[in-house]
Amino acid sequence: NAQLMFNPRVIFAMARDGLFFRFVTYVDTGGTPVYAVMITALTSIAMILTNTYSKLSDIATFFFVLGYASAFA
């Protein structure tokens, strides 16, 4: 899913700018933000197990469509 590839980069950028925990800025030799990927994966797993992922997906879709409509309308 594109969200699982995009979200770690956002978390990494927030950490790099000082808006999130500093340890998240660690990248491996290939340039992958390891801790940001792990945070995203663990959060997704927790939301799936607690059955709250569909609600988050609905909210994210709403704001995506709202943002798209406001930018291109």
Side-chain angles (χ1 to χ4, degrees):
N1 191 333
Q3 290 289 355
L4 287 177
M5 296 181 71
F6 177 77
N7 287 339
R9 302 291 177 175
V10 172
I11 294 171
F12 170 77
M14 287 175 60
R16 187 187 57 208
D17 293 342
L19 301 172
F20 202 65
F21 302 114
R22 205 59 157 158
F23 72 92
V24 181
T25 60
Y26 171 75
V27 292
D28 65 3
T29 56
T32 304
V34 178
Y35 294 125
V37 171
M38 289 179 9
I39 289 171
T40 302
L42 292 174
T43 303
S44 296
I45 290 169
M47 294 185 84
I48 289 169
L49 292 176
T50 59
N51 201 23
T52 57
Y53 196 78
S54 63
K55 294 174 188 172
L56 179 67
S57 176
D58 293 343
I59 293 169
T61 301
F62 172 77
F63 283 110
F64 175 78
V65 171
L66 183 66
Y68 183 83
S70 65
F72 296 106

Short mmCIF file of all heavy atoms in Angstrom, two decimals:
data_model
loop_
_atom_site.label_atom_id
_atom_site.label_comp_id
_atom_site.label_asym_id
_atom_site.label_seq_id
_atom_site.Cartn_x
_atom_site.Cartn_y
_atom_site.Cartn_z
N ASN A 1 0.83 -1.17 0.00
CA ASN A 1 0.00 0.00 0.00
C ASN A 1 0.89 1.24 0.00
O ASN A 1 1.90 1.31 0.67
CB ASN A 1 -0.90 -0.06 1.21
CG ASN A 1 -1.99 0.97 1.19
OD1 ASN A 1 -1.85 2.01 0.59
ND2 ASN A 1 -3.08 0.67 1.84
N ALA A 2 0.45 2.24 -0.70
CA ALA A 2 1.23 3.48 -0.80
C ALA A 2 1.36 4.18 0.54
O ALA A 2 2.37 4.81 0.83
CB ALA A 2 0.58 4.42 -1.82
N GLN A 3 0.34 4.06 1.39
CA GLN A 3 0.40 4.71 2.70
C GLN A 3 1.53 4.14 3.55
O GLN A 3 2.18 4.88 4.28
CB GLN A 3 -0.93 4.53 3.45
CG GLN A 3 -2.07 5.32 2.85
CD GLN A 3 -1.92 6.81 3.07
OE1 GLN A 3 -1.03 7.28 3.74
NE2 GLN A 3 -2.81 7.56 2.48
N LEU A 4 1.76 2.84 3.47
CA LEU A 4 2.83 2.24 4.26
C LEU A 4 4.21 2.65 3.76
O LEU A 4 5.18 2.56 4.49
CB LEU A 4 2.70 0.72 4.27
CG LEU A 4 1.55 0.19 5.11
CD1 LEU A 4 1.47 -1.33 4.99
CD2 LEU A 4 1.68 0.59 6.56
N MET A 5 4.29 3.08 2.53
CA MET A 5 5.57 3.56 2.01
C MET A 5 5.73 5.07 2.20
O MET A 5 6.84 5.57 2.35
CB MET A 5 5.69 3.20 0.53
CG MET A 5 5.71 1.71 0.29
SD MET A 5 5.87 1.31 -1.43
CE MET A 5 7.56 1.77 -1.72
N PHE A 6 4.62 5.79 2.22
CA PHE A 6 4.66 7.24 2.33
C PHE A 6 4.77 7.72 3.78
O PHE A 6 5.55 8.63 4.08
CB PHE A 6 3.39 7.81 1.68
CG PHE A 6 3.27 9.30 1.79
CD1 PHE A 6 4.00 10.13 0.98
CD2 PHE A 6 2.42 9.85 2.73
CE1 PHE A 6 3.87 11.50 1.08
CE2 PHE A 6 2.30 11.23 2.83
CZ PHE A 6 3.02 12.05 2.00
N ASN A 7 4.03 7.10 4.68
CA ASN A 7 3.99 7.57 6.07
C ASN A 7 5.34 7.55 6.78
O ASN A 7 5.64 8.50 7.51
CB ASN A 7 2.96 6.77 6.86
CG ASN A 7 1.55 7.16 6.49
OD1 ASN A 7 1.31 8.23 5.96
ND2 ASN A 7 0.62 6.28 6.75
N PRO A 8 6.18 6.53 6.61
CA PRO A 8 7.49 6.59 7.28
C PRO A 8 8.33 7.78 6.84
O PRO A 8 9.07 8.35 7.65
CB PRO A 8 8.17 5.28 6.88
CG PRO A 8 7.06 4.36 6.56
CD PRO A 8 5.98 5.23 5.99
N ARG A 9 8.21 8.19 5.61
CA ARG A 9 8.96 9.36 5.13
C ARG A 9 8.47 10.64 5.79
O ARG A 9 9.25 11.54 6.08
CB ARG A 9 8.86 9.49 3.61
CG ARG A 9 9.35 8.28 2.85
CD ARG A 9 10.82 8.12 2.96
NE ARG A 9 11.25 6.90 2.28
CZ ARG A 9 12.48 6.55 2.14
NH1 ARG A 9 13.44 7.29 2.64
NH2 ARG A 9 12.79 5.43 1.52
N VAL A 10 7.18 10.73 6.03
CA VAL A 10 6.62 11.90 6.73
C VAL A 10 7.11 11.92 8.17
O VAL A 10 7.53 12.97 8.68
CB VAL A 10 5.08 11.90 6.67
CG1 VAL A 10 4.49 12.99 7.54
CG2 VAL A 10 4.61 12.03 5.23
N ILE A 11 7.07 10.77 8.84
CA ILE A 11 7.55 10.69 10.21
C ILE A 11 9.03 11.03 10.27
O ILE A 11 9.48 11.76 11.17
CB ILE A 11 7.27 9.29 10.79
CG1 ILE A 11 5.76 9.07 10.92
CG2 ILE A 11 7.94 9.12 12.14
CD1 ILE A 11 5.39 7.65 11.28
N PHE A 12 9.80 10.53 9.32
CA PHE A 12 11.23 10.83 9.27
C PHE A 12 11.47 12.33 9.10
O PHE A 12 12.30 12.93 9.78
CB PHE A 12 11.88 10.05 8.11
CG PHE A 12 13.28 10.47 7.81
CD1 PHE A 12 14.32 10.06 8.62
CD2 PHE A 12 13.56 11.28 6.73
CE1 PHE A 12 15.63 10.45 8.35
CE2 PHE A 12 14.85 11.68 6.45
CZ PHE A 12 15.88 11.26 7.27
N ALA A 13 10.73 12.95 8.19
CA ALA A 13 10.89 14.38 7.95
C ALA A 13 10.49 15.20 9.18
O ALA A 13 11.15 16.19 9.51
CB ALA A 13 10.05 14.81 6.75
N MET A 14 9.45 14.77 9.89
CA MET A 14 9.06 15.47 11.11
C MET A 14 10.15 15.36 12.16
O MET A 14 10.46 16.35 12.84
CB MET A 14 7.75 14.88 11.64
CG MET A 14 6.54 15.25 10.83
SD MET A 14 5.04 14.43 11.38
CE MET A 14 4.92 15.00 13.06
N ALA A 15 10.76 14.18 12.28
CA ALA A 15 11.84 14.00 13.25
C ALA A 15 13.06 14.83 12.87
O ALA A 15 13.72 15.42 13.72
CB ALA A 15 12.20 12.53 13.36
N ARG A 16 13.37 14.88 11.58
CA ARG A 16 14.50 15.65 11.11
C ARG A 16 14.31 17.14 11.39
O ARG A 16 15.27 17.86 11.69
CB ARG A 16 14.68 15.42 9.61
CG ARG A 16 15.93 16.05 9.03
CD ARG A 16 15.97 15.93 7.54
NE ARG A 16 14.75 16.54 7.00
CZ ARG A 16 14.19 16.20 5.86
NH1 ARG A 16 14.69 15.25 5.14
NH2 ARG A 16 13.09 16.81 5.45
N ASP A 17 13.06 17.61 11.33
CA ASP A 17 12.75 19.01 11.59
C ASP A 17 12.54 19.31 13.08
O ASP A 17 12.24 20.44 13.44
CB ASP A 17 11.51 19.44 10.82
CG ASP A 17 11.73 19.44 9.32
OD1 ASP A 17 12.91 19.45 8.89
OD2 ASP A 17 10.74 19.43 8.57
N GLY A 18 12.68 18.27 13.92
CA GLY A 18 12.54 18.46 15.36
C GLY A 18 11.12 18.38 15.87
O GLY A 18 10.86 18.77 17.00
N LEU A 19 10.19 17.88 15.07
CA LEU A 19 8.79 17.80 15.47
C LEU A 19 8.40 16.42 15.99
O LEU A 19 7.25 16.21 16.38
CB LEU A 19 7.90 18.17 14.29
CG LEU A 19 8.12 19.56 13.72
CD1 LEU A 19 7.32 19.74 12.44
CD2 LEU A 19 7.75 20.61 14.74
N PHE A 20 9.34 15.48 15.97
CA PHE A 20 9.10 14.12 16.46
C PHE A 20 10.38 13.65 17.12
O PHE A 20 11.39 14.35 17.14
CB PHE A 20 8.71 13.22 15.27
CG PHE A 20 7.96 11.98 15.65
CD1 PHE A 20 6.71 12.06 16.22
CD2 PHE A 20 8.51 10.73 15.43
CE1 PHE A 20 6.01 10.91 16.56
CE2 PHE A 20 7.82 9.58 15.77
CZ PHE A 20 6.57 9.67 16.34
N PHE A 21 10.38 12.45 17.68
CA PHE A 21 11.54 11.94 18.39
C PHE A 21 12.77 11.88 17.48
O PHE A 21 12.69 11.45 16.34
CB PHE A 21 11.25 10.55 18.95
CG PHE A 21 10.07 10.52 19.88
CD1 PHE A 21 8.93 9.84 19.53
CD2 PHE A 21 10.12 11.18 21.08
CE1 PHE A 21 7.84 9.81 20.38
CE2 PHE A 21 9.04 11.16 21.94
CZ PHE A 21 7.90 10.48 21.59
N ARG A 22 13.92 12.28 18.01
CA ARG A 22 15.14 12.39 17.23
C ARG A 22 15.67 11.04 16.74
O ARG A 22 16.28 10.97 15.68
CB ARG A 22 16.21 13.10 18.09
CG ARG A 22 17.26 13.80 17.30
CD ARG A 22 16.60 14.80 16.46
NE ARG A 22 17.50 15.87 16.08
CZ ARG A 22 17.27 16.60 15.03
NH1 ARG A 22 16.24 16.38 14.29
NH2 ARG A 22 18.08 17.57 14.72
N PHE A 23 15.46 9.97 17.51
CA PHE A 23 16.00 8.67 17.10
C PHE A 23 15.38 8.15 15.80
O PHE A 23 15.94 7.28 15.15
CB PHE A 23 15.82 7.62 18.21
CG PHE A 23 14.40 7.15 18.41
CD1 PHE A 23 13.94 6.03 17.73
CD2 PHE A 23 13.54 7.81 19.27
CE1 PHE A 23 12.65 5.58 17.90
CE2 PHE A 23 12.25 7.36 19.45
CZ PHE A 23 11.80 6.25 18.76
N VAL A 24 14.26 8.71 15.40
CA VAL A 24 13.57 8.27 14.18
C VAL A 24 14.34 8.71 12.93
O VAL A 24 14.10 8.20 11.84
CB VAL A 24 12.12 8.80 14.18
CG1 VAL A 24 11.36 8.35 12.95
CG2 VAL A 24 11.40 8.33 15.42
N THR A 25 15.30 9.60 13.06
CA THR A 25 16.06 10.07 11.90
C THR A 25 17.11 9.07 11.43
O THR A 25 17.76 9.31 10.42
CB THR A 25 16.74 11.42 12.19
OG1 THR A 25 17.63 11.26 13.30
CG2 THR A 25 15.73 12.50 12.49
N TYR A 26 17.28 7.96 12.15
CA TYR A 26 18.28 6.96 11.75
C TYR A 26 17.87 6.31 10.43
O TYR A 26 16.72 5.90 10.24
CB TYR A 26 18.41 5.88 12.82
CG TYR A 26 19.26 4.72 12.39
CD1 TYR A 26 20.64 4.84 12.33
CD2 TYR A 26 18.68 3.53 11.99
CE1 TYR A 26 21.42 3.78 11.91
CE2 TYR A 26 19.45 2.47 11.57
CZ TYR A 26 20.82 2.60 11.53
OH TYR A 26 21.60 1.56 11.10
N VAL A 27 18.82 6.24 9.49
CA VAL A 27 18.60 5.54 8.23
C VAL A 27 19.69 4.48 8.06
O VAL A 27 20.81 4.66 8.52
CB VAL A 27 18.62 6.50 7.01
CG1 VAL A 27 17.43 7.42 7.05
CG2 VAL A 27 19.89 7.28 6.95
N ASP A 28 19.34 3.37 7.39
CA ASP A 28 20.34 2.33 7.15
C ASP A 28 21.17 2.68 5.92
O ASP A 28 21.03 3.76 5.34
CB ASP A 28 19.69 0.96 7.04
CG ASP A 28 18.79 0.83 5.81
OD1 ASP A 28 18.70 1.78 5.02
OD2 ASP A 28 18.19 -0.25 5.66
N THR A 29 22.06 1.78 5.52
CA THR A 29 22.97 2.07 4.40
C THR A 29 22.23 2.26 3.08
O THR A 29 22.75 2.91 2.18
CB THR A 29 24.00 0.94 4.24
OG1 THR A 29 23.32 -0.30 4.08
CG2 THR A 29 24.91 0.86 5.46
N GLY A 30 21.03 1.71 2.97
CA GLY A 30 20.25 1.89 1.75
C GLY A 30 19.41 3.15 1.74
O GLY A 30 18.75 3.47 0.76
N GLY A 31 19.40 3.89 2.86
CA GLY A 31 18.64 5.13 2.94
C GLY A 31 17.23 4.96 3.48
O GLY A 31 16.43 5.87 3.44
N THR A 32 16.93 3.78 4.02
CA THR A 32 15.60 3.52 4.56
C THR A 32 15.51 4.01 6.00
O THR A 32 16.34 3.63 6.83
CB THR A 32 15.29 2.00 4.53
OG1 THR A 32 15.43 1.53 3.19
CG2 THR A 32 13.90 1.71 5.03
N PRO A 33 14.50 4.82 6.33
CA PRO A 33 14.33 5.26 7.71
C PRO A 33 13.75 4.11 8.55
O PRO A 33 12.55 3.93 8.68
CB PRO A 33 13.35 6.43 7.61
CG PRO A 33 12.61 6.19 6.35
CD PRO A 33 13.54 5.45 5.43
N VAL A 34 14.63 3.31 9.13
CA VAL A 34 14.27 2.05 9.77
C VAL A 34 13.25 2.23 10.89
O VAL A 34 12.22 1.55 10.93
CB VAL A 34 15.53 1.35 10.30
CG1 VAL A 34 15.18 0.07 11.02
CG2 VAL A 34 16.50 1.07 9.18
N TYR A 35 13.53 3.13 11.82
CA TYR A 35 12.64 3.29 12.96
C TYR A 35 11.30 3.89 12.56
O TYR A 35 10.26 3.55 13.14
CB TYR A 35 13.30 4.14 14.04
CG TYR A 35 14.49 3.46 14.65
CD1 TYR A 35 15.73 4.07 14.68
CD2 TYR A 35 14.39 2.19 15.19
CE1 TYR A 35 16.84 3.44 15.23
CE2 TYR A 35 15.49 1.55 15.74
CZ TYR A 35 16.70 2.19 15.77
OH TYR A 35 17.79 1.55 16.31
N ALA A 36 11.28 4.74 11.57
CA ALA A 36 10.02 5.29 11.08
C ALA A 36 9.17 4.20 10.45
O ALA A 36 7.95 4.17 10.64
CB ALA A 36 10.28 6.41 10.09
N VAL A 37 9.79 3.29 9.71
CA VAL A 37 9.06 2.17 9.12
C VAL A 37 8.51 1.27 10.22
O VAL A 37 7.35 0.82 10.16
CB VAL A 37 9.97 1.37 8.15
CG1 VAL A 37 9.29 0.09 7.71
CG2 VAL A 37 10.34 2.22 6.95
N MET A 38 9.32 1.01 11.25
CA MET A 38 8.86 0.15 12.34
C MET A 38 7.70 0.80 13.10
O MET A 38 6.73 0.11 13.45
CB MET A 38 10.02 -0.16 13.28
CG MET A 38 11.02 -1.10 12.66
SD MET A 38 12.47 -1.57 13.61
CE MET A 38 12.26 -1.01 15.22
N ILE A 39 7.77 2.10 13.34
CA ILE A 39 6.67 2.79 14.02
C ILE A 39 5.39 2.70 13.20
O ILE A 39 4.31 2.43 13.72
CB ILE A 39 7.05 4.26 14.31
CG1 ILE A 39 8.10 4.32 15.40
CG2 ILE A 39 5.82 5.08 14.68
CD1 ILE A 39 8.70 5.70 15.59
N THR A 40 5.50 2.93 11.90
CA THR A 40 4.33 2.86 11.03
C THR A 40 3.74 1.45 11.01
O THR A 40 2.52 1.28 11.12
CB THR A 40 4.70 3.28 9.60
OG1 THR A 40 5.23 4.60 9.63
CG2 THR A 40 3.50 3.23 8.68
N ALA A 41 4.59 0.44 10.89
CA ALA A 41 4.11 -0.94 10.84
C ALA A 41 3.46 -1.35 12.16
O ALA A 41 2.38 -1.95 12.17
CB ALA A 41 5.26 -1.88 10.51
N LEU A 42 4.09 -1.02 13.28
CA LEU A 42 3.53 -1.40 14.58
C LEU A 42 2.22 -0.67 14.86
O LEU A 42 1.28 -1.27 15.41
CB LEU A 42 4.54 -1.12 15.68
CG LEU A 42 5.78 -2.02 15.67
CD1 LEU A 42 6.78 -1.56 16.72
CD2 LEU A 42 5.39 -3.46 15.89
N THR A 43 2.14 0.58 14.47
CA THR A 43 0.89 1.32 14.64
C THR A 43 -0.22 0.72 13.78
O THR A 43 -1.36 0.56 14.24
CB THR A 43 1.08 2.80 14.28
OG1 THR A 43 2.13 3.33 15.09
CG2 THR A 43 -0.18 3.59 14.51
N SER A 44 0.11 0.36 12.56
CA SER A 44 -0.88 -0.27 11.67
C SER A 44 -1.34 -1.61 12.22
O SER A 44 -2.54 -1.91 12.21
CB SER A 44 -0.31 -0.46 10.28
OG SER A 44 -0.03 0.78 9.69
N ILE A 45 -0.41 -2.41 12.72
CA ILE A 45 -0.78 -3.71 13.29
C ILE A 45 -1.67 -3.52 14.50
O ILE A 45 -2.68 -4.23 14.66
CB ILE A 45 0.49 -4.51 13.64
CG1 ILE A 45 1.20 -4.95 12.36
CG2 ILE A 45 0.16 -5.71 14.51
CD1 ILE A 45 2.59 -5.50 12.59
N ALA A 46 -1.33 -2.58 15.36
CA ALA A 46 -2.15 -2.32 16.56
C ALA A 46 -3.56 -1.88 16.17
O ALA A 46 -4.54 -2.31 16.78
CB ALA A 46 -1.49 -1.26 17.43
N MET A 47 -3.67 -1.04 15.14
CA MET A 47 -4.98 -0.58 14.72
C MET A 47 -5.80 -1.69 14.07
O MET A 47 -7.01 -1.75 14.24
CB MET A 47 -4.84 0.60 13.77
CG MET A 47 -4.24 1.81 14.45
SD MET A 47 -4.19 3.23 13.40
CE MET A 47 -5.85 3.82 13.65
N ILE A 48 -5.13 -2.58 13.35
CA ILE A 48 -5.84 -3.72 12.75
C ILE A 48 -6.35 -4.65 13.85
O ILE A 48 -7.49 -5.11 13.81
CB ILE A 48 -4.93 -4.46 11.76
CG1 ILE A 48 -4.71 -3.61 10.52
CG2 ILE A 48 -5.52 -5.81 11.39
CD1 ILE A 48 -3.62 -4.12 9.60
N LEU A 49 -5.51 -4.91 14.85
CA LEU A 49 -5.90 -5.82 15.93
C LEU A 49 -7.02 -5.24 16.80
O LEU A 49 -7.81 -6.00 17.38
CB LEU A 49 -4.69 -6.17 16.80
CG LEU A 49 -3.62 -7.02 16.11
CD1 LEU A 49 -2.43 -7.22 17.03
CD2 LEU A 49 -4.20 -8.36 15.68
N THR A 50 -7.08 -3.93 16.93
CA THR A 50 -8.13 -3.32 17.73
C THR A 50 -9.35 -2.90 16.90
O THR A 50 -10.28 -2.28 17.42
CB THR A 50 -7.60 -2.07 18.48
OG1 THR A 50 -7.10 -1.13 17.53
CG2 THR A 50 -6.51 -2.46 19.46
N ASN A 51 -9.32 -3.23 15.62
CA ASN A 51 -10.44 -2.96 14.70
C ASN A 51 -10.73 -1.46 14.56
O ASN A 51 -11.88 -1.07 14.44
CB ASN A 51 -11.68 -3.72 15.14
CG ASN A 51 -12.66 -3.90 14.00
OD1 ASN A 51 -12.28 -3.84 12.84
ND2 ASN A 51 -13.92 -4.12 14.34
N THR A 52 -9.71 -0.63 14.59
CA THR A 52 -9.90 0.81 14.40
C THR A 52 -9.31 1.29 13.08
O THR A 52 -9.40 2.47 12.77
CB THR A 52 -9.26 1.60 15.56
OG1 THR A 52 -7.89 1.26 15.64
CG2 THR A 52 -9.95 1.33 16.87
N TYR A 53 -8.72 0.39 12.31
CA TYR A 53 -8.06 0.79 11.08
C TYR A 53 -9.05 1.28 10.03
O TYR A 53 -8.78 2.22 9.31
CB TYR A 53 -7.24 -0.37 10.52
CG TYR A 53 -6.24 0.04 9.50
CD1 TYR A 53 -5.06 0.63 9.89
CD2 TYR A 53 -6.47 -0.13 8.14
CE1 TYR A 53 -4.11 1.03 8.96
CE2 TYR A 53 -5.55 0.27 7.21
CZ TYR A 53 -4.37 0.84 7.62
OH TYR A 53 -3.45 1.25 6.70
N SER A 54 -10.22 0.67 9.98
CA SER A 54 -11.21 1.08 8.97
C SER A 54 -11.70 2.50 9.25
O SER A 54 -11.95 3.26 8.32
CB SER A 54 -12.38 0.11 8.93
OG SER A 54 -13.07 0.10 10.16
N LYS A 55 -11.83 2.86 10.52
CA LYS A 55 -12.25 4.23 10.85
C LYS A 55 -11.18 5.22 10.41
O LYS A 55 -11.50 6.27 9.85
CB LYS A 55 -12.48 4.35 12.36
CG LYS A 55 -13.64 3.53 12.84
CD LYS A 55 -13.75 3.58 14.34
CE LYS A 55 -14.78 2.59 14.82
NZ LYS A 55 -14.79 2.45 16.27
N LEU A 56 -9.92 4.90 10.67
CA LEU A 56 -8.84 5.79 10.25
C LEU A 56 -8.79 5.90 8.74
O LEU A 56 -8.57 6.98 8.19
CB LEU A 56 -7.50 5.29 10.78
CG LEU A 56 -6.30 6.13 10.37
CD1 LEU A 56 -6.38 7.50 11.02
CD2 LEU A 56 -5.02 5.45 10.77
N SER A 57 -9.01 4.80 8.06
CA SER A 57 -9.01 4.80 6.60
C SER A 57 -10.13 5.70 6.06
O SER A 57 -9.93 6.45 5.10
CB SER A 57 -9.18 3.38 6.08
OG SER A 57 -9.26 3.37 4.69
N ASP A 58 -11.30 5.64 6.68
CA ASP A 58 -12.41 6.49 6.26
C ASP A 58 -12.07 7.97 6.46
O ASP A 58 -12.34 8.80 5.59
CB ASP A 58 -13.68 6.15 7.04
CG ASP A 58 -14.21 4.77 6.72
OD1 ASP A 58 -13.80 4.20 5.68
OD2 ASP A 58 -15.01 4.25 7.52
N ILE A 59 -11.48 8.29 7.59
CA ILE A 59 -11.12 9.68 7.88
C ILE A 59 -10.05 10.16 6.90
O ILE A 59 -10.14 11.27 6.36
CB ILE A 59 -10.66 9.82 9.34
CG1 ILE A 59 -11.83 9.57 10.28
CG2 ILE A 59 -10.06 11.20 9.59
CD1 ILE A 59 -11.43 9.41 11.73
N ALA A 60 -9.04 9.34 6.67
CA ALA A 60 -7.96 9.72 5.75
C ALA A 60 -8.49 9.91 4.34
O ALA A 60 -8.08 10.85 3.64
CB ALA A 60 -6.86 8.65 5.78
N THR A 61 -9.38 9.05 3.91
CA THR A 61 -9.97 9.18 2.58
C THR A 61 -10.77 10.46 2.46
O THR A 61 -10.68 11.17 1.44
CB THR A 61 -10.86 7.96 2.27
OG1 THR A 61 -10.08 6.78 2.36
CG2 THR A 61 -11.49 8.06 0.91
N PHE A 62 -11.53 10.79 3.48
CA PHE A 62 -12.31 12.02 3.47
C PHE A 62 -11.40 13.23 3.30
O PHE A 62 -11.65 14.11 2.46
CB PHE A 62 -13.14 12.14 4.75
CG PHE A 62 -13.81 13.47 4.90
CD1 PHE A 62 -14.94 13.78 4.17
CD2 PHE A 62 -13.30 14.43 5.77
CE1 PHE A 62 -15.56 15.01 4.30
CE2 PHE A 62 -13.91 15.66 5.90
CZ PHE A 62 -15.04 15.95 5.17
N PHE A 63 -10.33 13.30 4.10
CA PHE A 63 -9.45 14.46 4.01
C PHE A 63 -8.64 14.47 2.72
O PHE A 63 -8.32 15.54 2.20
CB PHE A 63 -8.54 14.53 5.24
CG PHE A 63 -9.25 15.05 6.44
CD1 PHE A 63 -9.53 14.24 7.51
CD2 PHE A 63 -9.66 16.37 6.49
CE1 PHE A 63 -10.20 14.72 8.62
CE2 PHE A 63 -10.32 16.88 7.59
CZ PHE A 63 -10.60 16.04 8.67
N PHE A 64 -8.34 13.30 2.17
CA PHE A 64 -7.66 13.26 0.87
C PHE A 64 -8.56 13.84 -0.22
O PHE A 64 -8.11 14.67 -1.02
CB PHE A 64 -7.26 11.83 0.53
CG PHE A 64 -6.67 11.69 -0.83
CD1 PHE A 64 -5.36 12.07 -1.07
CD2 PHE A 64 -7.42 11.21 -1.89
CE1 PHE A 64 -4.80 11.97 -2.33
CE2 PHE A 64 -6.87 11.10 -3.16
CZ PHE A 64 -5.56 11.47 -3.37
N VAL A 65 -9.80 13.42 -0.23
CA VAL A 65 -10.74 13.93 -1.23
C VAL A 65 -10.98 15.42 -1.02
O VAL A 65 -11.04 16.19 -1.99
CB VAL A 65 -12.06 13.13 -1.19
CG1 VAL A 65 -13.13 13.77 -2.05
CG2 VAL A 65 -11.82 11.69 -1.62
N LEU A 66 -11.10 15.84 0.23
CA LEU A 66 -11.30 17.26 0.53
C LEU A 66 -10.10 18.08 0.04
O LEU A 66 -10.27 19.14 -0.58
CB LEU A 66 -11.50 17.45 2.03
CG LEU A 66 -11.79 18.87 2.50
CD1 LEU A 66 -13.13 19.35 1.97
CD2 LEU A 66 -11.76 18.92 4.01
N GLY A 67 -8.90 17.61 0.31
CA GLY A 67 -7.70 18.30 -0.14
C GLY A 67 -7.59 18.33 -1.65
O GLY A 67 -7.22 19.33 -2.25
N TYR A 68 -7.92 17.21 -2.28
CA TYR A 68 -7.87 17.14 -3.75
C TYR A 68 -8.88 18.11 -4.35
O TYR A 68 -8.57 18.82 -5.30
CB TYR A 68 -8.16 15.70 -4.19
CG TYR A 68 -8.06 15.51 -5.67
CD1 TYR A 68 -6.83 15.30 -6.28
CD2 TYR A 68 -9.19 15.52 -6.48
CE1 TYR A 68 -6.72 15.12 -7.65
CE2 TYR A 68 -9.10 15.35 -7.84
CZ TYR A 68 -7.87 15.14 -8.42
OH TYR A 68 -7.77 14.97 -9.76
N ALA A 69 -10.09 18.11 -3.78
CA ALA A 69 -11.13 18.98 -4.33
C ALA A 69 -10.78 20.46 -4.14
O ALA A 69 -11.02 21.28 -5.03
CB ALA A 69 -12.46 18.67 -3.66
N SER A 70 -10.19 20.79 -3.01
CA SER A 70 -9.86 22.19 -2.78
C SER A 70 -8.67 22.65 -3.62
O SER A 70 -8.58 23.83 -3.97
CB SER A 70 -9.55 22.43 -1.29
OG SER A 70 -8.38 21.73 -0.91
N ALA A 71 -7.80 21.74 -3.99
CA ALA A 71 -6.63 22.11 -4.80
C ALA A 71 -6.97 22.19 -6.29
O ALA A 71 -6.37 22.99 -7.00
CB ALA A 71 -5.50 21.11 -4.57
N PHE A 72 -7.88 21.37 -6.75
CA PHE A 72 -8.13 21.27 -8.18
C PHE A 72 -9.53 21.73 -8.60
O PHE A 72 -9.88 21.59 -9.76
CB PHE A 72 -7.89 19.85 -8.67
CG PHE A 72 -6.47 19.42 -8.51
CD1 PHE A 72 -6.11 18.54 -7.51
CD2 PHE A 72 -5.49 19.92 -9.34
CE1 PHE A 72 -4.78 18.15 -7.36
CE2 PHE A 72 -4.18 19.55 -9.19
CZ PHE A 72 -3.82 18.66 -8.20
N ALA A 73 -10.29 22.25 -7.68
CA ALA A 73 -11.64 22.70 -8.04
C ALA A 73 -11.66 24.14 -8.47
O ALA A 73 -10.82 24.91 -8.27
CB ALA A 73 -12.59 22.51 -6.86
#
